[in-house]
Amino acid sequence: MSSCTVPTPQTADAAASMRRGTCPSLTAPMPTGDGLLVRLRPLDGSLTLSQFSDVAEAAQRFGNGILEITARGNLQVRGLTASTVPGLAEAIGEAAIVVPDGVAVETPPLAGIDLDEIVDPRILAAALRDAIATQAALRLAPKLTIIVDGGGRFHLGDTVADLRLQAVGRGGEVCWNLSLAGTAATAKPICALRTEAVTPVVIRILEALTDIGPAARGRDLDIDAVRPLCPSDADRVEAIPPPTPASPVLGIHDLGSADTILGFGLAFAQIEAISLIAFLQQTAEIGAQEIRLAPGHGFFVLGLQREAAAMVQRLALAQGLRIAANDPRNHIATCAGSTGCASAWMDTKAMARLWVETVPDLLDGSLTVHLSGCVKGCARPKASALTLVGAPSGYALVVNGAAKDGANAYTDENGMKSALERLADLVRENKDAGESARSCLTRLGAARVSAAFEQG
């Protein structure tokens, strides 16, 4: 584990040929439509406000001034060049931000603070990172992820992982349910392990993945081949009860301590560095002490007194951050779009603003609208109630499908706003009292929704 390694311009140039599907890092930035992109995963997702501000200032100096928090809660800096990546790396090092190398071992955003968690998972996560780092023979997929989840209100049950370790209490002892490939609800259960058995079993599983090949993921493992890697006295787990839904990040959270925790989200996953710096400086002056990055393009602010919470929320709103569950921006998933990706045919951020302005009633929380710059659907591979896909000649609407699925209707640039207005009118005129937008669209069916979108 290290703060960072400063890449040379040559290594950054070599990264320009890096295939998509790998993880863009300081030593291997990813080429995108607006330059090189670097993804940072600070240790345990934790930063001081000063460190977060240092990253934002470095994004202004060495990139295009745009920062992102990904759906998994990772930090991204955009608009870098081969000559500026070393400067960013040096700034990260000077800020003493620890960015673990190797396999991503993720813990919930409020690990060690969430009073409802069974155990602080960061101890086991650190042990796993250290053990994996000593295994020089391992050759693993760049995006392979291990989740170590201690439970609590802000668990990672909805986050996909190759290996999952879920803490459970058994007769006064903490055990870890091991499962493969999926969310807490969909992963394949393997066995329950005592804490001391976890690291050896995980290493054996990673060795099995290495034997399959450097692109192998958890889904490629055969359960019957994995179970013999567990201790003979390990309890076999046939089904793991899904956890209760995680609490939403946004809002004011009282965890029973003297301090209040505030959750915020970036609008459409991005923020300008100047806005973030202003917010962090103002919040630090009020007494905030720590940032925890969170899934869903969000972050928590820790260390505030209760009476300061409303004031900080107002500051956040003034800088364009999402602060509440009823914000319609919460329900739009966007990729980088044409301003940040050479493959995209749509400015997804501008399109998202058009949806918010034109059809806020559709964004009632019952559905997620997916705006995809192309058919790859990077921001949301799964199906959505409404997916809008950029195309050379305009926009394609997919009803109850993913970006890669066949389009149900089309419109061009000039017809987009009126198409959205017709969709809004369709729902407004047909929605029953108390009915959600999603329920109404489902009842009306794809044919009527498509006709309303496409008819001029």
Side-chain angles (χ1 to χ4, degrees):
M1 188 182 300
S2 61
S3 295
C4 64
T5 301
V6 179
T8 65
Q10 290 75 23
T11 59
D13 278 330
S17 61
M18 186 182 72
R19 66 178 177 85
R20 289 190 178 275
T22 59
C23 287
S25 64
L26 284 165
T27 54
M30 174 185 286
T32 65
D34 59 353
L36 297 177
L37 178 146
V38 162
R39 182 176 301 153
L40 305 171
R41 184 180 288 109
L43 180 64
D44 298 326
S46 176
L47 296 165
T48 65
L49 273 73
S50 177
Q51 287 174 326
F52 203 9
S53 186
D54 287 343
V55 175
E57 290 174 0
Q60 274 189 310
R61 182 178 178 188
F62 302 110
N64 61 7
I66 298 294
L67 291 99
E68 297 175 327
I69 298 178
T70 70
R72 298 187 75 96
N74 298 318
L75 193 59
Q76 293 187 161
V77 179
R78 304 193 67 94
L80 299 157
T81 67
S83 62
T84 62
V85 169
L88 173 67
E90 185 175 357
I92 298 301
E94 289 177 350
I97 298 172
V98 178
V99 181
D101 300 320
V103 174
V105 182
E106 300 178 357
T107 55
L110 294 185
I113 300 171
D114 192 330
L115 298 180
D116 292 338
E117 68 184 358
I118 295 170
V119 66
D120 184 347
R122 296 175 298 176
I123 300 170
L124 179 57
L128 285 172
R129 292 190 194 101
D130 291 344
I132 294 169
T134 66
Q135 304 297 311
L138 293 177
R139 296 292 182 269
L140 302 167
K143 287 192 173 183
L144 190 138
T145 303
I146 301 171
I147 282 180
V148 185
D149 199 335
R153 288 169 52 185
F154 299 96
H155 60 76
L156 296 180
D158 291 331
T159 304
V160 174
D162 294 277
L163 280 70
R164 303 188 66 87
L165 291 157
Q166 178 66 53
V168 292
R170 292 192 172 186
E173 181 182 18
V174 174
C175 291
W176 298 89
N177 283 338
L178 170 66
S179 57
L180 299 179
T183 64
T186 63
K188 302 170 184 175
I190 303 299
C191 64
L193 299 168
R194 292 185 175 87
T195 300
E196 62 271 17
V198 169
T199 297
V201 170
V202 168
I203 295 299
R204 289 195 285 269
I205 292 174
L206 297 182
E207 289 171 344
L209 285 167
T210 297
D211 291 342
I212 296 173
R217 304 292 295 273
R219 60 180 174 267
D220 299 313
L221 290 167
D222 181 83
I223 293 181
D224 292 334
V226 172
R227 281 185 173 133
L229 303 178
C230 300
S232 58
D233 61 348
D235 293 333
R236 182 164 171 168
V237 180
E238 295 295 344
I240 298 174
T244 57
S247 296
V249 170
L250 304 185
I252 301 174
H253 307 286
D254 185 351
L255 297 187
S257 63
D259 296 333
T260 295
I261 294 175
L262 295 182
F264 301 102
L266 305 191
F268 316 126
Q270 292 186 342
I271 189 169
E272 293 185 3
I274 189 170
S275 297
L276 180 60
I277 292 168
F279 170 72
L280 293 172
Q281 289 176 341
Q282 293 167 331
T283 305
E285 291 171 358
I286 297 174
Q289 298 175 358
E290 184 182 355
I291 297 293
R292 293 284 186 95
L293 302 176
H297 314 290
F299 63 94
F300 290 102
V301 174
L302 281 60
L304 290 166
Q305 296 297 311
R306 289 185 175 89
E307 56 270 20
M311 182 186 304
V312 173
Q313 283 191 316
R314 288 194 295 271
L315 294 173
L317 195 58
Q319 299 300 341
L321 292 165
R322 296 181 289 118
I323 69 170
N326 62 357
D327 190 325
R329 297 175 297 173
N330 296 342
H331 313 300
I332 300 180
T334 68
C335 63
S338 57
T339 60
C341 178
S343 300
W345 295 97
M346 182 202 307
D347 182 344
T348 55
K349 311 306 178 183
M351 181 62 71
R353 290 189 288 272
L354 179 63
W355 279 72
V356 171
E357 294 166 2
T358 309
V359 290
D361 291 347
L362 287 180
L363 305 171
D364 63 355
S366 64
L367 57 84
T368 296
V369 171
H370 178 197
L371 305 181
S372 184
C374 70
V375 295
K376 289 186 292 185
C378 297
R380 190 175 168 86
K382 61 184 179 181
S384 299
L386 296 172
T387 298
L388 189 71
V389 184
S393 57
Y395 306 105
L397 181 72
V398 182
V399 182
N400 294 322
K404 63 181 175 58
D405 297 334
N408 298 96
Y410 293 89
T411 192
D412 59 18
E413 181 76 29
N414 294 329
M416 189 65 224
K417 188 173 189 297
S418 57
L420 289 181
E421 289 171 344
R422 290 193 298 273
L423 275 183
D425 290 341
L426 178 70
V427 172
R428 190 178 302 111
E429 293 167 4
N430 290 277
K431 190 168 67 169
D432 295 332
E435 187 178 24
S436 69
R438 182 184 186 90
S439 175
C440 180
L441 290 170
T442 300
R443 179 168 52 79
L444 293 173
R448 288 190 66 184
V449 173
S450 301
F453 181 83
E454 202 167 44
Q455 289 171 0

